[in-house]
């Protein structure tokens, strides 16, 4: 039994035996006595717990394993065979980047992680966002925050018009929709690209594009909230929201990029950070003035 | 067992695109029998009269609509029927929704609203489906588009009701009607979407769906 388990890739993790090894005298009637948990990569037999080591871990991609969905045919074995066939297929083909599977590695995150990162991106006091990201940057957060921002810009502008003008004369105004699309996605993915290229060119730091995009994307949370508040037609509230959002945004960016930058390139730090701050101020002012401009009654 | 050619085996594993069904079977023996049956059925449908075909398609659309109308009754056959995706239902619902919204908008805006709603429905469904796949979902692209399209039904009803009956009523009542439709749509589709990803990523797959229906609800409201 121990031999079969070892072949499957399980190595010893936790045991109650005195001799420090698997108890090979006990033989299960059949493999139904062993509880295998693919989600945790563990197996339990009696009072022994075994941990799947890296070699046997064929089915997991990234940190989270393929869902063991038993709804399709009601048979787990078929699903596992299919997954294995899919993995083999994946290894054989050339030109990986046109298949969706290749991009799954950039979206390998759970709901809990994303919520935690969103909350930390609103706290400009300690670099908690970077700690939360750790070694798992992803594109889900940035992409959907930018999409939400575009939606909120269109929503806020039209709601503003609606409140000003009333129901009967209200007209949709989507003239600003394509520009906002280009600006948000362009700056959102372009600025980190430029930053990482600058870092690579001016110094030798390898600060990866993925990590910078992740931090930059999550810092837009405060701008999203600001735009949402700006949909109300109260002047003072709008300006307070803008200033608060700028403060939080720049604070978060500064602190989180700071930790990485000051380790390796203290001189460049101030130049880059100033550049980022100016960019963010310009961006928010563009949002406020161009996209959310108020219509004065003629 | 008689000899089956290799192409048939491939169809068994990857799904039979001839008959438009994407419920692959992973057990070769079962798969061969059901595949043979499917292929035979396909040849039978070529000789039947047109109104039979149309009736059958309409019945298929109706069955899926009943699934959407009574959400959370996830009996396995109903869930399986939604896996037999088709895009007729979503197309009809999308057209109805766009038409209702363009009629109830002010006249200058009519064409613009129709264009925007049509594009948003299909582009949004595509993006949500791709998002589900990127999160490791085990459902095909067209199945997601099919489900999202069918779950537009409550919003279409709300738009129709708005257009016909609620033009001259307090704004607050419209908010309630559209709100109920939005919650109904989201509830129906989230039940299905959640089944397709790991439980830890359920929220991540559901958020774009909310955003999508929220955008459409906002259109209906204003």
């Amino acid at each position: 039994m121990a031999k079969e388990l070892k072949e499957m890739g399980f190595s010893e993790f936790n045991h109650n035996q005195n001799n420090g090894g698997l108890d090979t005298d006990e033989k299960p009637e059949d493999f139904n006595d062993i509880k295998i948990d693919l989600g945790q990569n563990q197996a339990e037999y009696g009072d022994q717990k075994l941990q799947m080591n890296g070699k046997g871990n064929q089915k997991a991609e990234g940190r989270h394993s393929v869902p063991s969905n038993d709804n399709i045919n009601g048979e787990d074995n078929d699903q596992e065979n299919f997954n294995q066939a899919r993995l083999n297929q994946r290894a054989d083909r050339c030109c990986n980047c046109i298949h969706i599977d290749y991009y799954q590695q950039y979206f390998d995150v759970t709901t809990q992680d994303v919520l935690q990162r969103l909350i930390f991106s609103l706290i400009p006091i300690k670099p908690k966002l970077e700690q939360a990201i750790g070694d798992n940057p992803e594109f889900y957060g940035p992409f959907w925050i930018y999409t939400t921002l575009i939606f909120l810009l269109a929503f806020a502008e039209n709601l503003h018009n609606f409140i000003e003008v009333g129901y009967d004369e209200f007209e949709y105004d989507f003239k600003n929709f394509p520009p906002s699309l280009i600006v948000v996605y362009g700056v959102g993915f372009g600025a980190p690209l430029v930053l990482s290229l600058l870092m690579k060119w001016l110094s030798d730091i390898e600060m990866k594009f993925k990590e910078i995009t992740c931090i930059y994307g999550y810092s837009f949370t405060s701008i999203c909230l600001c735009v949402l508040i700006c949909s109300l037609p109260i002047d003072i509230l709008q300006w307070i929201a803008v200033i608060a959002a700028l403060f939080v945004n720049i604070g978060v960016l500064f602190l989180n990029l700071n930790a990485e930058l000051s380790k390796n390139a203290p001189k460049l730090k101030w130049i880059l950070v100033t550049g980022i701050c100016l960019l963010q101020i310009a961006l928010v002012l563009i949002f406020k003035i161009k996209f959310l401009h108020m219509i004065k009654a003629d | 067992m008689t000899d089956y050619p290799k192409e048939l085996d491939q169809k068994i594993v990857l799904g039979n695109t001839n008959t438009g069904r994407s419920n692959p079977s992973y057990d070769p023996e079962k798969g061969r029998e059901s595949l043979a049956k499917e292929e035979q059925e396909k040849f039978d449908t070529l000789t039947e009269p047109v109104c039979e075909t149309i009736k059958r398609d309409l019945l298929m659309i109706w069955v899926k609509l009943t699934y959407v109308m009574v959400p959370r009754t996830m009996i396995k056959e109903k869930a399986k029927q939604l896996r037999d995706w088709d895009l007729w239902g979503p197309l009809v619902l999308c057209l109805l929704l766009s038409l209702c919204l363009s009629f109830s908008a002010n006249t200058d805006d009519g064409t613009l609203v129709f264009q925007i709603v049509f594009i948003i429905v299909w582009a949004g469904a595509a993006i949500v489906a791709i998002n589900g796949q990127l999160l490791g979902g085990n459902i095909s692209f067209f199945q997601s588009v099919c489900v999202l399209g069918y779950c537009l039904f409550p919003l279409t009803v709300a738009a129709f009701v708005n257009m016909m009956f609620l033009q001259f009523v307090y704004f607050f009542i419209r908010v309630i009607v559209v709100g109920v439709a939005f919650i109904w749509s989201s509830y129906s589709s989230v039940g299905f979407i959640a089944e397709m990803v790991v439980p830890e990523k359920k929220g991540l797959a559901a958020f774009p769906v909310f955003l999508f229906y929220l955008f459409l609800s906002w259109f209906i409201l204003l």
Side-chain angles (χ1 to χ4, degrees):
Chain A
M1 202 277 276
K3 194 178 125 197
E4 281 96 342
L5 282 177
K6 281 207 169 141
E7 271 169 29
M8 279 164 56
F10 284 90
S11 64
E12 186 190 308
F13 169 63
N14 182 12
H15 52 86
N16 294 332
Q17 308 299 319
N18 290 332
N19 55 10
L22 288 172
D23 189 358
T24 52
D25 287 338
E26 291 182 41
K27 287 189 171 60
E29 294 292 7
D30 55 73
F31 270 89
N32 287 335
D33 288 345
I34 305 173
K35 284 179 263 176
I36 298 181
D37 184 0
L38 278 179
Q40 301 291 326
N41 292 333
Q42 283 175 350
E44 263 181 44
Y45 165 57
D47 54 4
Q48 297 175 8
K49 280 194 184 153
L50 307 165
Q51 177 74 29
M52 181 90 90
N53 63 12
K55 252 178 21 181
N57 198 358
Q58 290 174 1
K59 298 188 187 69
E61 295 246 323
R63 288 156 60 232
H64 310 288
S65 50
V66 173
S68 56
N69 190 337
D70 56 1
N71 282 339
I72 293 184
N73 289 331
E75 293 170 358
D76 281 338
N77 278 337
D78 288 342
Q79 180 67 32
E80 285 170 25
N81 289 339
F82 183 69
N83 284 339
Q84 191 57 42
R86 219 167 39 164
L87 282 168
N88 289 340
Q89 207 181 26
R90 209 177 295 169
D92 289 336
R93 64 193 183 199
C94 64
C95 217
N96 246 347
C97 48
I98 52 177
H99 293 100
I100 287 231
D101 298 344
Y102 174 74
Y103 294 103
Q104 277 179 355
Q105 56 176 310
Y106 297 120
F107 283 76
D108 190 24
V109 72
T110 64
T111 315
Q112 204 55 34
D113 286 344
V114 171
L115 286 174
Q116 197 185 38
R117 291 175 190 186
L118 281 174
I119 293 176
F120 284 160
S121 69
L122 293 172
I123 305 175
I125 302 178
K126 286 188 206 171
K128 280 191 163 181
L129 179 61
E130 200 199 346
Q131 289 166 11
I133 291 178
D135 57 352
N136 187 32
E138 33 83 25
F139 287 150
Y140 177 90
F143 176 73
W144 284 107
I145 290 178
Y146 297 147
T147 311
T148 312
L149 180 62
I150 291 170
F151 165 69
L152 284 175
L153 280 172
F155 172 74
E157 187 178 354
N158 281 300
L159 187 64
H160 199 271
N161 291 353
F162 181 72
I163 293 180
E164 295 270 315
V165 171
Y167 180 68
D168 294 325
E169 295 162 17
F170 172 67
E171 280 186 11
Y172 287 107
D173 179 20
F174 285 105
K175 292 201 204 73
N176 280 327
F177 183 67
S180 73
L181 205 71
I182 294 173
V183 166
V184 172
Y185 281 126
V187 172
F189 288 112
L193 184 68
V194 167
L195 186 62
S196 64
L197 286 176
L198 272 178
M199 302 270 279
K200 211 169 171 184
W201 179 47
L202 291 177
S203 67
D204 284 327
I205 321 173
E206 275 290 320
M207 193 153 165
K208 293 181 201 150
F209 173 62
K210 259 168 53 164
E211 279 148 19
I212 304 185
T213 318
C214 202
I215 296 177
Y216 197 71
Y218 276 105
S219 71
F220 270 62
T221 320
S222 54
I223 299 186
C224 276
L225 289 174
C226 158
V227 169
L228 188 60
I229 295 177
C230 280
S231 62
L232 302 170
I234 307 173
D235 259 346
I236 303 263
L237 194 62
Q238 288 182 355
W239 284 109
I240 293 178
V242 167
I243 293 174
L246 266 178
F247 174 69
V248 171
N249 191 5
I250 293 180
V252 163
L253 273 179
F254 179 75
L255 282 175
N256 284 295
L257 291 177
N258 199 18
E260 184 75 28
L261 287 172
S262 55
K263 266 191 277 179
N264 298 315
K267 277 190 231 165
L268 283 178
K269 185 173 80 171
W270 293 110
I271 305 176
L272 285 171
V273 165
T274 320
I276 293 172
C277 292
L278 288 175
L279 177 67
Q280 295 297 102
I281 295 176
L283 207 61
V284 174
L285 284 177
I286 288 177
F287 288 151
K288 176 80 181 66
I289 294 173
K290 181 170 194 298
F291 295 129
L292 298 175
H293 59 270
M294 287 165 270
I295 297 181
K296 305 287 179 199
D298 290 333
Chain B
M1 224 29 235
T2 55
D3 285 330
Y4 278 81
K6 269 194 185 161
E7 308 84 73
L8 280 186
D9 269 347
Q10 195 182 30
K11 270 193 202 167
I12 291 169
V13 174
L14 296 176
N16 187 1
T17 47
N18 278 349
T19 54
R21 291 181 203 217
S22 54
N23 47 353
S25 161
Y26 311 120
D27 176 13
E29 299 304 320
K30 275 194 271 177
R32 282 174 186 150
E33 288 168 19
S34 73
L35 183 65
K37 223 174 21 167
E38 272 177 30
E39 296 273 299
Q40 198 160 24
E41 274 172 37
K42 183 190 105 177
F43 284 116
D44 283 339
T45 64
L46 279 180
T47 53
E48 66 181 10
V50 171
C51 58
E52 280 279 326
T53 315
I54 293 182
K55 261 198 283 185
R56 199 183 54 238
D57 283 337
L58 286 175
L59 184 66
M60 191 171 64
I61 295 179
W62 172 250
V63 162
K64 290 190 183 135
L65 275 179
T66 50
Y67 172 72
V68 170
M69 286 198 286
V70 189
R72 294 289 177 163
T73 53
M74 287 288 286
I75 314 172
K76 283 222 169 161
E77 314 115 39
K78 284 195 181 172
K80 275 211 168 136
Q81 270 159 3
L82 265 183
R83 288 182 207 277
D84 274 346
W85 58 268
D86 75 288
L87 292 180
W88 280 114
L91 179 68
V92 164
L93 288 172
C94 172
L95 282 175
L96 278 176
L97 181 67
S98 314
L99 283 172
C100 288
L101 287 178
S102 77
F103 282 143
S104 60
N106 296 325
T107 19
D108 294 342
D109 265 349
T111 330
L112 178 68
V113 169
F114 183 93
Q115 289 167 354
I116 289 180
V117 173
F118 197 83
I119 291 176
I120 292 285
V121 166
W122 291 106
I127 292 179
V128 173
I130 292 179
N131 180 63
Q133 288 209 310
L134 284 171
L135 287 174
N138 54 7
I139 213 176
S140 88
F141 173 80
F142 286 111
Q143 282 172 353
S144 315
V145 173
C146 171
V147 168
L148 285 168
Y150 273 105
C151 291
L152 274 180
F153 176 69
L155 287 172
T156 311
V157 166
F160 185 72
V161 164
N162 257 352
M163 181 179 81
M164 301 295 281
F165 307 118
L166 295 184
Q167 286 282 15
F168 307 108
V169 172
Y170 283 126
F171 189 66
F172 187 62
I173 299 186
R174 295 165 58 106
V175 170
I176 294 180
V177 166
V178 174
V180 165
F182 165 66
I183 292 174
W184 187 3
S185 285
S186 309
Y187 197 58
S188 307
S189 60
V190 160
F192 191 80
I193 299 280
E195 188 194 290
M196 99 182 173
V197 289
V198 194
E200 296 108 41
K201 300 191 187 180
K202 207 166 69 165
L204 300 184
F207 171 70
V209 175
F210 283 133
L211 204 59
F212 175 59
Y213 288 133
L214 192 65
F215 189 79
L216 288 174
S217 315
W218 165 57
F219 248 100
I220 298 174
L221 202 53
L222 295 182

